[in-house]
Amino acid sequence: MDACHGGDVLEFSPRFQFTQTPMKHLLFSSCALAIFLPLTCLAEFSKLGDRLDPIVREEMREWELGGIAIALVDDQRVIYSEGFGEAKRDSIFRVGSISKLFNAVAVMQQVEAGKLDLDAPLPADVLPIDPFTNALPVTLRQLLSHRSGLQREPSVGGYLDDSEPGLAATIASVPAGVLVTRPSEKTRYSNLGPSIAGHLVARVSGQSFEEYQREHVLSPLGMSSSSWKLDRAVRKGLVVSHIRVADGRGGWKRQETPVFDLGTIPAGNLFSTTEDIARFASAMIAEGRGILKPATLAEMWKPQLTTDKSGFGLGFMVGKFRDHQTVSHSGAVYGHSTSLVILPGKKLAVIILANDDIVGGRVRRISNAALSLLLEAKFGEQALATPAPFTTKKLNDFAGDFESQSYWARLEIKGGQLIGNVSGQLTKFKATDDSKFVADGLLENETPVSFVRDDAGAITGFTMGSQRYQRVPKTAPTLPKHWRAFLGTYGSKFIPVIISERHGHLYAMTENMVDYRLTPVNRNVC
């Protein structure tokens, strides 16, 4: 029995009607439920806000975040819900790729109904050209687990297309493309793949994708504040959001985000609130009650087409938090960064929605802190001890210019701290011993960093995630003259593509994220 659960259980109807009991930040699905909860559990849950609020506010202050909304779920109840800064508890956000989970649910409903087959070859009229010989057919299972070989974005209705063509026009553009890798060969994240899957749901159901979702997913869960398109109600409740636009000179300009419907609607266009996403989380914790069979959900929570124990299931990302299985998805879409993490075995979930573009590292920091507090409050599970601060006497040894297979980095000492500009992103390094650090930034959260020394003890490079950085030689190569013509800014004013030079190499800044190192294929192609 859970440490904070009594023997009485409150049964829910499939529609999960939540009501709220005003008790500062503490919310319950039913007034009666408060009677059944042990007083020790009520006391622990009531402290969550007092402990989590300072963490959120410090993250917002240090990284200049505009607004954040949070909901914490224990089984069938929202036990904490709050908005910070520009966000209110009921503010509407774009949830980005969390949309893929709802799309996957719709697909699996049609699989249960016998109208779709996960492993049957897809209809030829929705697929691009396959240039590979002896390749496996593309299937729904591959689409939902990002193993189809499709490119990330379609040529019409992709992430950079603000013309709002709609799902039908987006899918109609697909046959003119070409598969990038063999089906099932490797994980290649795609917004196009899930969009094709959503289109097939609409085709076999005889409804538009939005109508199907409203009737078979959103309404049964009581998600009355959610919508798949930017309608009048969404505009009224939509939180103001911000996007950091690269200026082409190594800096950023923060501005209000443009708002429009993506062509890849099933992959990332859902508008919702923390408490509506909490309703979805509770349905998942209840083994899909009301919308899916338990066996179907169990299949969705298995890594697909791999022997690894973590990776993409059907829609969901399967992983771990400490020793606990997680099923989750994050989102990043035009001024919004989001996260939903569910611990099915512990019946806990955390929803974080932020109104700033590309701040996934800070969202993960808050989500991890909330998960730790929930596990402690419900089960008495203590968080791992934080390593004591380590002060290295030779901090200057780590400064300098470095380059990896994908990025560049300039490390400097500022205010007694090692600060990095990693391919355009501010990154703060905190020492854990003489050669090891953890890195924090808008994209990073306590990423392990290990510096490498030569026989004389000099720093020659470091590893950070999958990247291996080498110190740039004092005499770096120069960029070939014929490539200088490519330098400059291209495309959209709010999502520019910026081609720049570092250490004799071309770099491309895309989606206002980082500079990606380009590898030449020939004189005009990288």
Side-chain angles (χ1 to χ4, degrees), residues 75-88:
D75 202 349
Q76 301 307 298
R77 40 187 193 277
V78 176
I79 57 172
Y80 170 90
S81 180
E82 188 60 278
F84 299 83
E86 296 167 337
K88 297 179 181 178

Side-chain angles (χ1 to χ4, degrees), residues 4-201:
C4 288
H5 283 178
D8 296 288
V9 178
L10 182 67
E11 293 294 338
F12 281 81
S13 71
R15 290 186 174 269
F16 297 105
Q17 297 295 330
F18 283 52
T19 58
Q20 299 177 2
T21 300
M23 182 177 174
K24 197 178 180 182
H25 308 300
L26 193 60
L27 305 179
F28 294 103
S29 52
S30 167
C31 296
L33 184 59
I35 299 173
F36 298 148
L37 285 171
L39 294 178
T40 52
C41 188
L42 288 174
E44 290 302 315
F45 282 152
S46 69
K47 297 174 185 176
L48 283 172
D50 293 337
R51 299 180 65 184
L52 185 58
D53 289 13
I55 295 171
V56 177
R57 297 186 190 282
E58 176 59 21
E59 288 292 320
M60 294 180 67
R61 182 199 64 78
E62 182 175 357
W63 297 98
E64 299 180 351
L65 307 181
I68 290 176
I70 299 175
L72 306 183
V73 175
D74 174 36
D75 202 349
Q76 301 307 298
R77 40 187 193 277
V78 176
I79 57 172
Y80 170 90
S81 180
E82 188 60 278
F84 299 83
E86 296 167 337
K88 297 179 181 178
R89 196 175 69 197
D90 59 353
S91 292
I92 296 173
F93 291 75
R94 305 192 75 153
V95 301
S97 288
I98 291 175
S99 307
K100 292 179 173 68
L101 304 183
F102 293 81
N103 179 51
V105 165
V107 171
M108 297 307 291
Q109 286 177 339
Q110 291 303 299
V111 170
E112 288 181 348
K115 294 183 178 182
L116 289 175
D117 185 333
L118 279 179
D119 298 307
L122 295 184
D125 66 331
V126 298
L127 289 175
I129 298 167
D130 184 352
F132 304 103
T133 57
N134 301 319
L136 295 171
V138 180
T139 67
L140 269 173
R141 188 182 300 275
Q142 295 163 0
L143 295 183
L144 296 182
S145 59
H146 301 285
R147 306 276 295 199
S148 67
L150 286 161
Q151 73 267 30
R152 202 195 82 167
E153 302 295 335
S155 57
V156 173
Y159 192 69
L160 304 183
D161 184 354
D162 61 353
S163 66
E164 301 184 292
L167 181 59
T170 296
I171 301 304
S173 73
V174 175
V178 179
L179 286 181
V180 183
T181 56
R182 291 175 181 273
S184 291
E185 182 177 72
K186 63 184 296 186
T187 299
R188 178 179 290 278
Y189 192 82
S190 173
N191 289 319
L192 176 53
S195 298
I196 293 173
H199 169 76
L200 293 176
V201 169

Side-chain angles (χ1 to χ4, degrees), residues 126-424:
V126 298
L127 289 175
I129 298 167
D130 184 352
F132 304 103
T133 57
N134 301 319
L136 295 171
V138 180
T139 67
L140 269 173
R141 188 182 300 275
Q142 295 163 0
L143 295 183
L144 296 182
S145 59
H146 301 285
R147 306 276 295 199
S148 67
L150 286 161
Q151 73 267 30
R152 202 195 82 167
E153 302 295 335
S155 57
V156 173
Y159 192 69
L160 304 183
D161 184 354
D162 61 353
S163 66
E164 301 184 292
L167 181 59
T170 296
I171 301 304
S173 73
V174 175
V178 179
L179 286 181
V180 183
T181 56
R182 291 175 181 273
S184 291
E185 182 177 72
K186 63 184 296 186
T187 299
R188 178 179 290 278
Y189 192 82
S190 173
N191 289 319
L192 176 53
S195 298
I196 293 173
H199 169 76
L200 293 176
V201 169
R203 176 185 288 187
V204 299
S205 69
Q207 298 178 285
S208 72
F209 176 79
E210 297 83 11
E211 290 170 343
Y212 181 91
Q213 281 280 333
R214 183 169 57 251
E215 181 177 337
H216 298 281
V217 182
L218 302 186
S219 291
L221 295 179
M223 296 178 62
S224 58
S225 297
S226 300
S227 173
W228 281 95
K229 283 193 174 180
L230 185 61
D231 57 24
R232 183 179 301 176
V234 168
R235 285 190 181 276
K236 183 177 179 181
L238 187 63
V239 67
V240 62
S241 65
H242 312 286
I243 187 170
R244 295 167 69 245
V245 179
D247 63 12
R249 299 182 298 275
W252 306 86
K253 180 181 179 181
R254 190 170 185 260
Q255 62 187 57
E256 192 168 328
T257 311
V259 184
F260 56 88
D261 285 324
L262 302 172
T264 51
I265 289 173
N269 208 61
L270 182 63
F271 296 84
S272 192
T273 66
T274 54
E275 292 180 16
D276 266 12
I277 300 298
R279 288 173 166 84
F280 176 79
S282 284
M284 298 300 98
I285 289 170
E287 298 182 303
R289 183 167 53 186
I291 55 174
L292 283 177
K293 297 176 182 177
T296 300
L297 195 59
E299 179 65 18
M300 296 174 75
W301 291 352
K302 294 177 183 177
Q304 300 291 310
L305 305 171
T306 178
T307 58
D308 294 340
K309 294 183 179 180
S310 63
F312 281 106
L314 298 173
F316 290 87
M317 182 67 187
V318 183
K320 280 188 175 294
F321 180 77
R322 301 179 189 164
D323 293 328
H324 310 298
Q325 183 198 33
T326 60
V327 290
S328 66
H329 217 295
S330 58
V333 55
Y334 292 119
H336 300 258
S337 300
T338 64
S339 174
L340 164 62
V341 181
I342 303 171
L343 275 59
K346 298 299 181 182
K347 298 186 177 182
L348 298 172
V350 173
I351 299 100
I352 312 287
L353 307 180
N355 71 336
D356 273 280
D357 204 47
I358 314 195
V359 296
R362 309 333 308 151
V363 168
R364 286 196 302 277
R365 157 72 174 129
I366 296 169
S367 178
N368 288 347
L371 286 169
S372 292
L373 291 173
L374 278 172
L375 287 168
E376 182 180 348
K378 186 174 180 180
F379 299 103
E381 181 177 314
Q382 297 298 311
L384 298 176
T386 302
F390 182 88
T391 303
T392 178
K393 297 179 180 178
K394 297 182 179 180
L395 205 56
N396 286 323
D397 292 353
F398 302 94
D401 288 311
F402 300 83
E403 197 170 32
S404 75
Q405 66 268 39
S406 301
Y407 309 122
W408 60 267
R410 169 165 286 182
L411 307 188
E412 302 176 285
I413 313 303
K414 295 182 179 179
Q417 185 178 3
L418 186 63
I419 302 293
N421 184 340
V422 180
S423 259

